[in-house]
Amino acid sequence: MPEGDTVWQTARRLDDALAGPPLTGCDLRVPRLATVDLTGRRVLEVVARGKHLLTRVEGGLTLHSHLRMDGAWLVYGHGERWRGGPHHQIRAVLATAERTAVGYRLPVLELLRTADEDRAVGHLGPDLLGPDWDPDEALGRLLADPSRPVGEALLDQRNLAGIGNVYTCELCFVLRVPPWLPIGRVPSPERLVDLAKRLLEANRTRRARVTTAQARPDRRLWVYGRAGRPCLRCGTPVRAADQGRAGQERTTFWCPVCQPEPPDPGPSQ
C-alpha cells in the first residue's frame, strides 16, 4: 500500500518520465476535468508532499493526485502495452513523445493553480521525506493531544506526513509500545519521530520495504501482515485488530509480549 516512501518513488519516476519535453497527449478522465487539455505544455517537475503527488505544469498549473489505498501511476515506453488494470480504471494519461504515464484508480485528481497548492496540502504536518522536515514541529504536533492512541496519532497526516499503517505498526513494535497507548505515555516520544525519519529514508530507494534488516521476503517486516504467525523477536503469535474511528479503521498488528502496556503511573503529584 502506498506510504511516504512509495509516493516519493512514484514522484521520481513521473519526474524522470515527464519533466522537460512538451506533452503530446493529455486525457483526464474525471467529469470536472473532462475538457482540460494540457497538450503542448511542459511538465516542470513532479514532487511528493507526504502521500500527495503534485505535477507542476508550465502556465502556473498543478495536477494534484492521491493514491490512497490502491491507486497507482505507471510509466510506459512508446508503444508498450499498458498493464496496470482494465481501461475503465484509468483516470489520467499524460504523454510525451517517448513516455506515457497512466494513473489507475486515482481517488483524488484535481487541477489547481500552483499558487493555490496549499488548498490541497497546506494542512499537512512536516514531510518526513521533504525539504520542510522539522522534527521538533512534528513532535509538538504529536503531543498536542496526549490522550490520543499512538497508532492514531502517527497515522494523522496533520502531525507528520508520510506515515501509513505499515510504518505505524513497525514503529510501535520496534519501540516496544502497544499501538493503543496514549501518545503522552510513550517513553521518550522523540524516538518515534527519529525512527520514522530513519526508516523512510532507508526505504525510499528500495524496491521492497524492509524494517528488520533481513532480506528474506517473509522476514522483511516485524509484525505488519503477520497475524497468527510467530513474532520474529519472541515467537508469540502476532495479533491483529481494527483501530481508529468508525469508518476510518485500519488493521493494526502487534506482539502482546514485546509490546506490553506499561503500568499506569497514576495521578500526578
Side-chain angles (χ1 to χ4, degrees):
M1 67 180 57
E3 305 211 13
D5 51 358
T6 305
V7 177
W8 186 90
Q9 292 173 11
T10 300
R12 287 288 298 271
R13 286 196 299 271
L14 290 174
D15 189 76
D16 288 344
L18 299 176
L23 292 173
T24 58
C26 172
D27 185 5
L28 304 179
R29 302 181 184 179
V30 295
R32 65 183 175 277
L33 301 180
T35 61
V36 171
D37 187 3
L38 302 175
T39 301
R41 299 178 188 245
R42 298 177 187 273
V43 171
L44 303 177
E45 62 179 346
V46 183
V47 299
R49 178 74 172 86
K51 298 183 183 183
H52 298 252
L53 286 160
L54 303 171
T55 301
R56 294 170 178 153
V57 182
E58 66 179 355
L61 297 175
T62 295
L63 186 66
H64 166 231
S65 58
H66 196 296
L67 306 180
R68 295 221 175 130
M69 295 298 288
D70 63 347
W73 277 99
L74 301 179
V75 176
Y76 303 100
H78 181 69
E80 185 179 357
R81 179 172 166 267
W82 300 355
R83 303 177 302 278
H87 278 247
H88 73 265
Q89 294 182 349
I90 295 173
R91 297 293 176 266
V93 180
L94 298 174
T96 68
E98 299 296 330
R99 313 290 290 279
T100 300
V102 184
Y104 292 89
R105 301 172 298 279
L106 300 176
V108 175
L109 188 69
E110 60 178 341
L111 192 65
L112 308 168
R113 291 177 57 86
T114 301
D116 296 333
E117 285 180 357
D118 273 0
R119 284 176 40 205
V121 297
H123 65 288
L124 298 176
D127 186 346
L128 284 150
L129 295 178
D132 70 321
W133 174 243
D134 182 337
D136 294 331
E137 174 69 15
L139 181 61
R141 291 186 179 215
L142 281 172
L143 296 178
D145 182 357
S147 65
R148 194 175 191 186
V150 60
E152 294 182 30
L154 287 171
L155 282 171
D156 190 337
Q157 302 300 293
R158 297 170 298 181
N159 292 333
L160 62 172
I163 291 181
N165 204 31
V166 177
Y167 280 116
T168 292
C169 296
E170 297 295 288
L171 285 165
C172 289
F173 177 84
V174 172
L175 296 182
R176 295 179 178 267
V177 297
W180 288 270
L181 185 70
I183 184 72
R185 291 183 57 200
V186 173
S188 303
E190 67 275 4
R191 296 182 305 157
L192 278 171
V193 175
D194 177 66
L195 183 59
K197 173 68 169 174
R198 288 191 284 121
L199 284 179
L200 265 75
E201 286 281 0
N203 281 292
R204 68 177 180 173
T205 58
R206 289 175 175 161
R207 299 186 68 178
R209 187 177 293 129
V210 178
T211 61
T212 64
Q214 298 189 43
R216 282 178 47 177
D218 63 336
R219 289 177 174 262
R220 290 175 178 156
L221 302 176
W222 287 108
V223 289
Y224 184 83
R226 294 183 58 84
R229 299 167 66 188
C231 170
L232 295 178
R233 183 183 283 156
C234 74
T236 302
V238 171
R239 295 184 183 175
D242 287 341
Q243 182 178 20
R245 299 173 182 173
Q248 299 178 352
E249 301 93 336
R250 296 289 185 270
T251 301
T252 295
F253 301 85
W254 83 103
C255 172
V257 172
C258 294
Q259 297 168 265
E261 183 167 345
D264 191 327
S268 58
Q269 301 298 320

